[in-house]
Amino acid sequence: MTAAIRGSVVTFKKNPFFNPADECIVYEQDAMIVMQDGLITAVGSADQVLPDLSADCRIERYDHALIMPGFIDCHVHYPQTEIIGACGKQLIDWLNKYTFTAEQKFRDASYAREAARVFLRECLRAGTTSASVFCTVFAQSVDTFFEASARLNMRNIAGKVLMDRNAPIGLIETPRSGYDATKKLIERWHGCGRQLYAVTPRFAPTSSPEQMEMTGAVWQEHPGTYLQSHLSENTEEVEWVGRAYPERHGYLDVYAYYGQLGPRSIYGHGIHLSDAEFRKLHDTGTALAHCPTSNLFLGSGLFDFHHAMNSARPVRVGLATDLGAGTSFSQLVTMNEAYKVAQMSGYSLSAAQAFYLATLGAAQALYLDDKVGSIAVGKEADLIVLDLKATPILEYRMQYADDLDEALFILMTLGDDRAVRATFIAGEKVYWTESAPCTEQFAPALAEASL
Ligand code: GUN
Ligand code: ZN
């Protein structure tokens, strides 16, 4: 079955942190994207693409909208959906008071199943088509997540959290049982359809040296899998790591020593990092997930774009919500907060840079840019349609946008999940708003045949 969507398309082909925006953004005002068997099979101006469409191709046309690659959330905790906006103090108190309590409920598979359903529904409503997801220590919370993700045919990364100390007794296990369970889950889920596995040590303080050793080993034994964790989010946490691993030279060195850096490893936050640590991230191809709403909510600190995007040693960075410390599923809201965080350190994030961080930049951080994150022939057809008239104020403000750059900036400043008019996963429309349906069209050949 072939399907096509028509409208204005925005996607990226280069990194706007290091190249002029007009060399990075691809914009086609009246474009057509053709999708077959989950992939994009043609994209270009409608004039060019229309004549070659097969007679049975259904076309949906979206006016007053931008069609983009689906957003990618580089770091998020699905079991924390129920604690978003829990009023706490900073990281360690918040973890002890809310997070560990909530995560213990995921021993129950039916509880986890319902949470995974709600979480993925919210992702699709927010236009997020892929995410790198922390589950809990319970293997069943990973199974239920992947089952729901596979049913939707989403390309998601997820993994079982590993902890063997400094957490409630109900959430810790031995290094051996964590290793064995991870191995089984990798065999069950990594590469099953679009599902990808991430070995998931929560963070250095909740793993003993023995567990860190086995975690690095299980990741190295399974090439192609991911590794996700947290790094230098909060100053108290950084000091704690110093006490827990006195023989190591700083937080990042703990992960380096235990073989947990390299392509397909991604760390949330990275706020309190030294120059040498940024260089190490660059040299090893390790990525950072920037989580601005979480960093503001927990008062963790301000991500430093000047350092991360140093052209002499750039680090791969993707945008992330980090729910439930993060306060919104929407990557538009997250971009808005990323802009403000950057402003606080004198870095003015452009709209192109912000959208890049949630699409192609995120895909590059996750080494998935050959599959998702942009709109091009051969890429998986994960697409979103953003409505430029989604709310009265967006509609009003957009009248005064002089160019695409301004329209994108307004969208990230005023937009949220209400701006998402439709979400496509592997070419299938899985979410759309009733209030703003598209106009349906038929391919010229079919329209002629029915005359
Ligand atoms: N560090 C360790 N665990 C967590 C978590 O669940 N959320 C955040 N924001 N930081 C963490
Ligand atoms: Zn996190």
Side-chain angles (χ1 to χ4, degrees):
M1 241 301 269
T2 324
I5 54 175
R6 180 174 182 175
S8 297
V9 164
V10 176
T11 184
F12 289 89
K13 60 179 179 190
K14 279 192 194 169
N15 183 338
F17 283 93
F18 305 115
N19 300 281
D22 57 352
E23 289 176 19
C24 301
I25 297 185
V26 180
Y27 173 67
E28 183 72 53
Q29 195 265 326
D30 183 14
M32 179 90 71
I33 302 170
V34 186
M35 303 171 289
Q36 193 172 11
D37 300 328
L39 300 179
I40 296 171
T41 53
V43 57
S45 74
D47 287 351
Q48 283 170 346
V49 176
L50 261 168
D52 294 332
L53 275 188
S54 64
D56 62 345
C57 181
R58 184 169 170 267
I59 306 168
E60 287 184 358
R61 182 179 179 141
Y62 291 93
D63 295 320
H64 318 294
L66 293 177
I67 302 169
M68 289 197 178
F71 293 137
I72 299 169
D73 184 343
C74 290
H75 177 115
V76 60
H77 302 252
Y78 98 82
Q80 296 176 15
T81 307
E82 67 182 61
I83 56 161
I84 301 168
C87 175
K89 296 180 195 160
Q90 296 211 339
L91 175 65
I92 315 285
D93 303 289
W94 177 85
L95 281 175
N96 288 325
K97 194 163 165 198
Y98 301 107
T99 315
F100 291 153
T101 309
E103 291 188 9
Q104 291 186 59
K105 301 180 197 166
F106 286 71
R107 183 188 292 279
D108 176 353
S110 60
Y111 194 87
R113 194 168 295 114
E114 173 61 5
R117 188 188 70 76
V118 171
F119 171 84
L120 289 172
R121 182 194 71 196
E122 289 304 305
C123 286
L124 297 174
R125 287 187 60 254
T128 294
T129 50
S130 289
S132 191
V133 181
F134 285 62
C135 302
T136 68
V137 292
F138 305 111
Q140 53 271 33
S141 74
V142 183
D143 287 329
T144 49
F145 178 80
F146 276 131
E147 280 158 15
S149 171
R151 252 197 315 279
L152 288 161
N153 197 19
M154 290 176 79
R155 184 167 285 292
N156 282 315
I157 301 168
K160 174 191 134 54
V161 168
L162 295 162
M163 294 195 278
D164 73 343
R165 63 172 173 175
N166 295 322
I169 191 84
L171 290 180
I172 59 175
E173 60 185 335
T174 64
R176 168 54 63 183
S177 67
Y179 174 93
D180 290 344
T182 297
K183 217 170 164 55
K184 275 196 198 136
L185 287 164
I186 291 173
E187 280 154 19
R188 194 174 307 148
W189 290 111
H190 185 68
C192 171
R194 302 183 77 200
Q195 311 313 308
L196 297 165
Y197 195 84
V199 176
T200 308
R202 175 169 225 119
F203 65 158
T206 46
S207 287
S208 65
E210 295 70 32
Q211 183 166 63
M212 290 296 270
E213 185 100 41
M214 295 188 91
T215 298
V218 76
W219 185 47
Q220 303 286 344
E221 285 161 14
H222 295 88
T225 58
Y226 286 80
L227 186 139
Q228 59 182 351
S229 191
H230 296 86
L231 172 69
S232 298
E233 175 178 3
N234 165 291
T235 50
E236 233 182 283
E237 170 212 15
V238 176
E239 285 160 19
W240 189 14
V241 173
R243 291 193 302 278
Y245 290 90
E247 66 289 3
R248 302 270 57 89
H249 310 292
Y251 201 159
L252 188 68
D253 188 50
V254 177
Y255 295 122
Y257 182 80
Y258 292 106
Q260 298 177 23
L261 304 186
R264 280 177 291 280
S265 69
I266 180 149
Y267 288 85
H269 312 293
I271 296 172
H272 310 285
L273 293 176
S274 67
D275 220 55
E277 287 179 309
F278 276 114
R279 177 161 291 282
K280 183 85 177 171
L281 292 169
H282 165 84
D283 289 345
T284 54
T286 303
L288 290 178
H290 173 35
C291 314
T293 71
S294 164
N295 299 159
L296 294 172
F297 185 72
L298 291 179
S300 302
L302 304 172
F303 183 79
D304 190 341
F305 277 100
H306 290 290
H307 273 103
M309 297 305 190
N310 179 337
S311 60
R313 44 136 189 78
V315 175
R316 290 171 187 250
V317 178
L319 196 65
T321 63
D322 191 33
L323 289 168
T327 49
S328 174
F329 276 86
S330 169
Q331 286 287 51
L332 292 171
V333 171
T334 309
M335 286 178 216
N336 183 7
E337 299 307 297
Y339 176 78
K340 294 170 190 166
V341 164
Q343 283 286 73
M344 293 302 290
S345 57
Y347 194 104
S348 289
L349 199 67
S350 68
Q353 290 167 338
F355 276 88
Y356 169 82
L357 287 175
T359 55
L360 183 59
Q364 286 168 344
L366 297 172
Y367 291 80
L368 278 178
D369 46 309
D370 58 330
K371 297 185 174 62
V372 294
S374 60
I375 299 176
V377 170
K379 298 286 160 65
E380 296 172 353
D382 291 349
L383 304 169
I384 54 174
V385 182
L386 297 178
D387 184 356
L388 298 174
K389 296 185 173 183
T391 62
I393 189 62
L394 251 181
E395 180 173 3
Y396 178 76
R397 179 67 182 87
M398 281 295 174
Q399 296 177 90
Y400 302 98
D402 288 335
D403 53 25
L404 176 67
D405 189 57
E406 255 192 70
L408 289 174
F409 200 86
I410 294 163
L411 203 47
M412 77 187 221
T413 308
L414 296 179
D416 53 30
D417 55 340
R418 292 169 296 176
V420 179
R421 193 146 137 194
T423 303
F424 292 78
I425 297 288
E428 293 285 325
K429 188 161 66 170
V430 292
Y431 167 74
W432 62 94
T433 51
E434 293 294 348
S435 58
C438 59
T439 341
E440 279 203 18
Q441 260 187 243
F442 293 98
L446 195 69
E448 277 165 28
S450 64
L451 279 176

